[in-house]
Amino acid sequence: DDSPFIIHTTVWFSMRAVLSILMLTVLSTSFRVPRPAYAKAFQRKAQRTLSTTTSLPSTSLDNTPVAESASHKDFDTIKTYFIKEYGCYGTLYTHKRTKCEVLSLKTDDTNKVFGITFTTPNPASTGVAHILEHSVLCGSRKYTTKEPFVELMRGSVNTFLNAFTYPDRTCYPVASQNLKDFRNLVNVYLDAVLFPRCVKDPNVHAQEGWHLEVDKEGQLAYKGVVYNEMKGVYSSPDSLSNRECQRSLFPDNVYGTDSGGDPLDIPNLSFESFRSFWEEKYNPANAKVFFYGDDPEEERLDLLTGYLNDYADEWGESDARSAVSWQPKRFESPSVVRGKYPVGEGGGKDYVTVNWLLNDEPITGVESLKLNVLDHLLMGTTKSALRKSLSDSGLGEDVTGGGLSDELLQATFSAGMKGVAGEEGVENVQGVIEETLQRIAQEGFEEDDVKASMNAIEFQLREFNTGSFPKGLSLMLGSISGWIYGKDPVENLVFESALSELKADLEARGGEVWTEAVKKYLIDNTHKSVVIMNPDSEMEAKVVEEEKARLKAIKDGMTAEEVKEVERKMEELKELQAKEDSAEDIATIPTLSRSDLNREVEEYPLTVTSDFDGSGVTVAASHMPSTSGVVYATLGVDVSGVPLDDAPLLPLFCRVMMETGAGQYDDVQLSRRVNTYTGGVSASFSMMGVKPDGVAADVVGDGGRMLTKVFVKGKATAENTGEMLDIFRLVLTESNLDSKQRIVEMLRESKSRAEAAIQGSGHSYANSRLKAGYTVGGYLDEMMGGLSYYESVKSLLDMAENDFDQLRGKLENIRAVMLEAGKCRDGMILNVVAEDDAMSKADADLKSFLHSLPGDSKPSSTFQDFYKEDHPWTVAARSRMTGLKNEAIIVPTQVNYVGSGGRVYSEGESMPGSASVVARHLRTGYLWDTVRVIGGAYGGFCTLGQGSGVFTYLSYRDPNLAVTLDAYDAAADALMEQAENLTEEQLQTAVIGAVGDLDAALSPDQKGAVQFRRWLSGESPEDRQKYRLEVLNTNKDDFVAFAKRLKALNDKAVAVVTSKGMAEEAIKAGKEMEIVEIF
């Protein structure tokens, strides 16, 4: 687990109001909420999955009050619903005393969801809503530990537990498949938001928001979790650009402020203002409550009314509601805004983004759907009209803006580029955008492009595949995006009427629908801004010096007594943070017991057939109870014959397969075909460690046994399976490897995205850098996805620009090696997931596809047995490993990402499942308390490699460097002390949390994919069951044993992503590190 351990996130989701909340969650199988980074309205996923088709079963909407709702004495029933799109019965209630509105949806989904959302606009950038979102979960009336939320995370089997702040609302959602656990979560959340400790205890505001400290030199310093989080945000060029784009369009309403908090403004938030904001915004009348799942509705209302009545008894009844005012579309000409972003001494290039405010009054459902289709036509895929024009221009390194954002009261549209050279380039990018839109307004879109985009969106809506993300939460967020603005709470969830109306309009008016929309919303819309961000190599130093000067001025204005008061409060806070919760306080937290847990691993159906139908290809089929008529297919092709030196080309090769055209289709035509007939086709490279044959699954290795494959993945209705598989064959065998311009663009994009990721997710790069020193598997992972891969991308870009023939030759060799006729089918595997009826309908197409693949059905040679022999890459890589290093990787940043680690289990040792329980306990206990709570980092956590035995400590957006490394050094002793005094209750909590990590809620296609990966890994059901029982049976001795291993760790290494100034300070403090400047 390399993800930062973070509870709260300030987010503008890349989800759309109206229909788009549903679309995006099905658009990408890698969709995660929340992102471990602050996001603004103008951000979108950098890459979108091509997603389409038409013929999923149609549904219809009936909002007639036919559902039988629960009657409750404390609630008025306002309306009932039956939403056929999702099979939900629903009821809208209002609590009689508090006027709180409640939407209760009843389904047979066992993954139950609850959420409470408050409307929280704030006219300043102090981050009060964001800080309050962190703070209310730090103790409450009934749940009196310092952080009940963390206690829940330690001992819950939740499928979602988080909180996030939008620019105008704050959401607190939970989900669980276990009814007892679900009610525990709901109780803690309701008590937290309605009766929080933080409004009575200024120390919570100080810890989560900001406070002053006096450092060792006697100087003042700002500290606080949100303060440091936002310093990290303001170190990111993308975030700074997004912030300016938002501000530029909303000069008159709350969307022009930063709900996350500007580090310059956060210290202006007093405790009194913090408390007043809670009093004003967190009243039930200003809240929307959502329930979803198979739990009894009467019991939902009984639970809720207890808290609402208690609130009215303690705080009084109020019908005060907050509202967001409209930003008038008042610009008569575009507003030009210039800003700066920090870069290293190597310099940087410009950003330019053109933005429009689309509406200043409500828009209808059909108009919103039209905007979503228009967005898909303009920016939805790499071949969409505007996105392609920008990419093909060669004026920058990557497309920015992301197109449509309509999850708030008012919709916006943005497009631009980053990595643009100089003022002339900036002007030219604007020219490309203007010329493309003018051309579309005159000529319209190709009819086939419109058909493809309509099919894409209709497929997404009808499939409604949210993966492991709870469906109920997708529905909640979609509902809230209109509900808080006065819409009916289900209006944004239904789509049949709008879809029919848009289809009828297209039938009647054809392309005029789109030319009219482009003119209305973009060309003739003068409420527009142009945001230009210029690089500044001195900005980082200026920000640091300005903060020092500001703090010096504050101290100079203080008396000696006032400085002592700062020191007193600092010590008081640290004592509170270091103080253990009492047994009585911990006992207030509701928990499960081990008896509530399932002791058996859930296995999913998978039938593996070698030489299927005489094709020479292995087929792994998962027959699921229902996949809504969709067939999910994945073809794996072995690439172990590719030379190790060319391995970094494989991610590029996979992009080329999908983005440069294939056979008779150019790039646009290929994209159109994918969108017309399938729900998405993609290609990716995978490097997967496997269990060595004859070796127990729990024995630690060095990663030498592995599979390397290119996977082509797609989904389609059973009727269109043949089209999907033909696309598989086409991109595999006939992709265009000769598109120099597009390949150069891809590499520029990869370079730009890697640079942004290193700055924003430095913990991940530090982690891979650490692991590279211990095992050959870690070395190869870093080579294919870490800093080494970034260096490879730069070299490949130079080759593409200056010696394309050489690069093309390497790509051609990869394809030739993959498809070697006498061998390739021996290494091919097709995974198919579908319900029985869809599988039967697709059977003939599957067999035809297998026989059409390149290679001989009776291979003349075979691949080595990768479960018995080391992979060729690992043999070559071992000689290149250089050993352990302590490295400080320098980037422009105001925060640190601090990593350290070593190998707690040596090669050949058995590592039991209990080790994961102990590591998780350390992550949610000592590291959380020491690195995050006391140290002020946004995240403090650790990882344990199940197959490698490598253990790493990591921090995320950390104000400290040397101090955090010291905390890591003290972790083993702290764990030993905890282990020796571990209570049965603490042990049970640790086990429950670890089991919760094992039991995700999965969609049918995910279940098939999980079982497929299990089979590929060489694990047996018995291996998995043994591991689960070791987790369940973890005892105190296991904690002591792991602590001893951690204490004995000698071959430690350090990797940090930091600024040069902070690295030099740490070196002066005695930390040995080699400075590595990468930009």
Side-chain angles (χ1 to χ4, degrees), residues 812-826:
E812 289 172 345
N813 182 63
I814 288 174
R815 183 160 65 190
V817 169
M818 283 175 57
L819 304 182
E820 182 184 343
K823 191 176 185 180
C824 63
R825 290 201 191 186
D826 180 62

Side-chain angles (χ1 to χ4, degrees), residues 737-809:
L737 306 180
D738 198 30
S739 180
K740 176 179 178 178
Q741 178 183 345
R742 184 63 190 122
I743 289 172
V744 168
E745 290 166 6
M746 290 178 191
L747 289 166
R748 287 176 178 169
E749 290 169 4
S750 296
K751 175 178 173 290
S752 176
R753 292 169 187 174
E755 288 168 351
I758 293 166
Q759 284 184 273
S761 301
H763 63 288
S764 178
Y765 288 85
N767 196 31
S768 65
R769 200 73 164 180
L770 286 169
K771 292 179 177 179
Y774 293 98
T775 69
V776 70
Y779 176 87
L780 289 169
D781 284 338
E782 206 275 337
M783 175 182 170
M784 297 300 293
L787 292 174
S788 296
Y789 179 68
Y790 168 67
E791 296 296 334
S792 294
V793 167
K794 291 195 293 184
S795 298
L796 291 172
L797 176 58
D798 180 70
M799 186 187 299
E801 291 175 328
N802 300 302
D803 189 359
F804 183 74
D805 287 346
Q806 182 184 1
L807 182 64
R808 180 182 56 221

Side-chain angles (χ1 to χ4, degrees), residues 606 688-693 695 697 705-707 829 866-867 1009-1021 1023-1024:
L606 185 73
M688 177 183 182
V690 299
K691 183 179 82 69
D693 191 52
V695 177
R705 309 284 170 85
M706 66 180 190
L707 300 176
I829 304 172
F866 294 105
Y867 301 88
V1010 164
Q1011 200 68 17
F1012 179 53
R1013 288 195 298 271
R1014 287 172 172 176
W1015 172 72
L1016 284 176
S1017 73
E1019 284 183 348
S1020 68
D1023 292 331
R1024 291 187 284 276

